Amino acid sequence: MRAGQDELIRGGTARRGGRRALAAVVLAAAMALTSACTGGGDDKSSSWQGGGDGGGEKAPKAAATISEPAADAKDVPASTAITFTTTEAQETSVELKDSTGKTVEGELAADGKSWQPAGALDYAQTYTATVTATGDDGKAATATSTFTTMAKPSKQIRVSSFLGDNQVVGVGMPLIVKFGRAIPEDYRDDMQRRMTVTAKPAQEGIWHWVSPTEVRYRPKTFWKANSTVSYRVQAGGLPLGDGWYGRSDLSVDVKIGPAFVMTVDNKTKRMTVTKDGKAVKTILVSLGKKSTPSSSGTMVVIEKLRHTVFDTMEELGPEEGYRTEIDYAQRLTWGGEFIHAAPWSEGVQGRTNVSHGCVNVSMKDGNWLFANTRIGDPITVKGTERKLQNGNGWTDWNMSWDEYVKGSALPYEPPAEPGDDTSPTAGTPSAQPTT
């Protein structure tokens, strides 16, 4: 399911349409049996039709059970998955059809115990799920469950993405998802299980809740240059607390650009720029003076303004405030730190700090940087009197990996097979296969 009814915060529009999915999934491994089953043994509800006791055909070895949704269940959330168990199964297939007989697309969870529709189901509709288990004797046993989804809820939460489809961003760009209402802490794990990231090539990463209304994803190290990243939020119909439900699903595909990385050393008053690991330019800078020092830490470019006006008159008053036209401005913090051209300080760039916290460069270098950077390109400033405050901008990279993991609503699970190209479990800290 693509963007559905949800909008993007900015930066493009997400596409509508179906996602790659499997209507029937084959599972090679046998799984444990729970609940009553509809196959195998003497179960009268088995779909297998055998002969009598006098030398008739034996019942199938395999058995299958659907635990959720229960048969004849009503008011089932539109986000429901088909949860099942099998025993003695060499192959297992799952099929979901609506009341017209149309097959619903979906895919098997990584643990092989549930099947997730590709998108939210329709409200107030009847569906039939069928799980078929086949044993090594070649005989199939089936379990079915017919259920009805709930009516469309009146209380729905909008889900939005900062990024839009096919945007090209820097290697430090976090994936940013926002909710139109605070998600209670007890429901964030449910939401995170429905948030999947696929990176090619594979890159370990994790979701991190920065607030009750915003969650971000970053890899363990910067994104690999020129990789592709897709993320999906299956919020449609998902219960999110206090009678609220997700409005719709959201899916976005983005591209990662070259590894354009900036490093500023206060000691030398120079910026070193590397591209894909190779130094390409050294730029003289002037940082914040002692009374208004620049922040030391790792930031990323948040927005780019070819021409703007810095106005601090209201904030600082007529004695300290200023109103100045600025070229080639690139925002780094919400507090007002930018990289920008500063022709008035060109004479001291490389020698003295005179700015109000920004990274001053020459007009020529400001033009060059502006032409080469992208939103999400990282910059690290070292050796100043002030440390970067987390939350003052997209400071995801200013936290250690161990610190970042603590912001996940799900336990950390390292990728089992680093060679895979998608994440292992929905919402877990990896770009290995997800559910």
Side-chain angles (χ1 to χ4, degrees):
M1 183 75 72
R2 285 286 164 180
Q5 299 174 3
D6 287 340
E7 300 176 338
L8 297 178
I9 298 174
R10 56 178 298 177
T13 57
R15 294 179 278 113
R16 299 174 183 262
R19 293 291 289 177
R20 174 188 61 80
L22 298 175
V25 184
V26 176
L27 178 64
M31 294 172 285
L33 171 65
T34 61
S35 302
C37 62
T38 60
D42 295 326
D43 191 333
K44 295 180 180 179
S45 63
S46 172
S47 64
W48 171 77
Q49 301 296 322
D53 294 333
E57 186 180 358
K58 292 183 178 180
K61 285 185 177 181
T65 302
I66 296 176
S67 54
E68 291 184 8
D72 301 320
K74 308 294 183 183
D75 296 323
V76 175
S79 62
T80 190
I82 309 304
T83 304
F84 62 91
T85 57
T86 64
T87 58
E88 300 291 336
Q90 296 296 306
E91 292 184 352
T92 301
S93 65
V94 181
E95 186 176 59
L96 181 66
K97 292 186 176 182
D98 64 17
S99 58
T100 69
K102 182 180 179 181
T103 299
V104 177
E105 293 185 340
E107 58 187 5
L108 192 70
D111 62 6
K113 297 180 181 180
S114 65
W115 182 91
Q116 180 68 46
L121 300 179
D122 293 335
Y123 290 110
Q125 295 294 322
T126 299
Y127 293 87
T128 297
T130 302
V131 176
T132 302
T134 303
D136 58 10
D137 57 359
K139 298 174 184 178
T142 63
T144 62
S145 175
T146 298
F147 60 92
T148 303
T149 55
M150 65 184 294
K152 184 177 180 179
S154 60
K155 299 163 69 174
Q156 294 183 309
I157 299 176
R158 186 174 69 94
V159 183
S160 53
S161 168
F162 180 85
L163 298 175
D165 271 337
N166 299 318
Q167 277 192 260
V168 182
V169 295
V171 296
M173 183 69 209
L175 310 181
I176 303 173
V177 174
K178 289 193 174 185
F179 301 92
R181 184 179 186 274
I183 307 301
E185 190 170 356
D186 289 347
Y187 286 82
R188 293 177 200 170
D189 57 342
D190 291 338
M191 184 67 261
Q192 196 171 320
R193 287 187 184 93
R194 300 297 186 93
M195 302 176 68
T196 61
V197 177
T198 301
K200 296 183 179 181
Q203 294 155 77
E204 184 179 358
I206 192 170
W207 290 102
H208 175 101
W209 291 81
V210 297
S211 77
T213 60
E214 183 175 339
V215 60
R216 300 182 194 157
Y217 184 101
R218 54 154 272 203
K220 190 172 185 178
T221 58
F222 290 148
W223 294 108
K224 294 180 181 179
N226 306 309
S227 56
T228 59
V229 178
S230 300
Y231 54 105
R232 179 174 56 174
V233 182
Q234 289 184 275
L238 183 66
L240 293 174
D242 302 324
W244 290 83
Y245 294 80
R247 179 186 294 179
S248 62
D249 297 342
L250 174 71
S251 189
V252 181
D253 300 325
V254 297
K255 299 177 181 178
I256 307 300
F260 192 90
V261 179
M262 297 163 281
T263 304
V264 176
D265 189 340
N266 183 39
K267 185 176 181 179
T268 62
K269 307 293 189 292
R270 281 162 172 75
M271 174 192 291
T272 300
V273 181
T274 63
K275 185 175 182 180
D276 294 332
K278 297 181 179 180
V280 294
K281 197 173 184 64
T282 299
I283 296 173
L284 302 181
V285 303
S286 178
L287 300 177
K289 55 189 176 182
K290 287 187 177 182
S291 59
T292 55
S294 301
S295 296
S296 283
T298 300
M299 300 156 273
V300 299
V301 175
I302 296 173
E303 67 174 340
K304 298 176 65 172
L305 303 169
R306 170 61 184 83
H307 182 80
T308 189
V309 175
F310 287 178
D311 188 344
T312 64
M313 296 298 291
E314 182 176 347
E315 176 187 358
L316 301 179
E319 293 186 4
E320 293 291 331
Y322 56 90
R323 185 179 293 110
T324 306
E325 293 188 355
I326 300 293
D327 289 311
Y328 307 120
Q330 304 190 58
R331 179 183 289 277
L332 304 178
T333 71
W334 305 128
E337 295 181 45
F338 289 76
I339 305 168
H340 66 81
W344 56 86
S345 70
E346 287 187 16
V348 297
Q349 289 170 13
R351 296 188 292 111
T352 307
N353 291 333
V354 296
S355 83
H356 288 80
C358 292
V359 180
N360 284 184
V361 299
S362 68
M363 285 292 288
K364 181 179 179 181
D365 289 334
N367 182 13
W368 183 86
L369 282 170
F370 198 87
N372 283 277
T373 56
R374 291 180 169 84
I375 299 299
D377 279 337
I379 176 173
T380 299
V381 177
K382 302 177 180 179
T384 67
E385 300 90 335
R386 179 169 60 190
K387 299 297 183 183
L388 176 65
Q389 182 180 0
N390 286 332
N392 186 14
W394 296 338
T395 54
D396 304 72
W397 296 102
N398 200 51
M399 302 163 70
S400 70
W401 177 246
D402 288 342
E403 290 177 309
Y404 205 75
V405 164
K406 292 177 182 178
S408 171
L410 294 175
Y412 172 65
E413 297 179 12
E417 297 182 14
D420 292 339
D421 62 4
T422 53
S423 34
T425 311
T428 60
S430 176
Q432 314 297 321
T434 57
T435 54

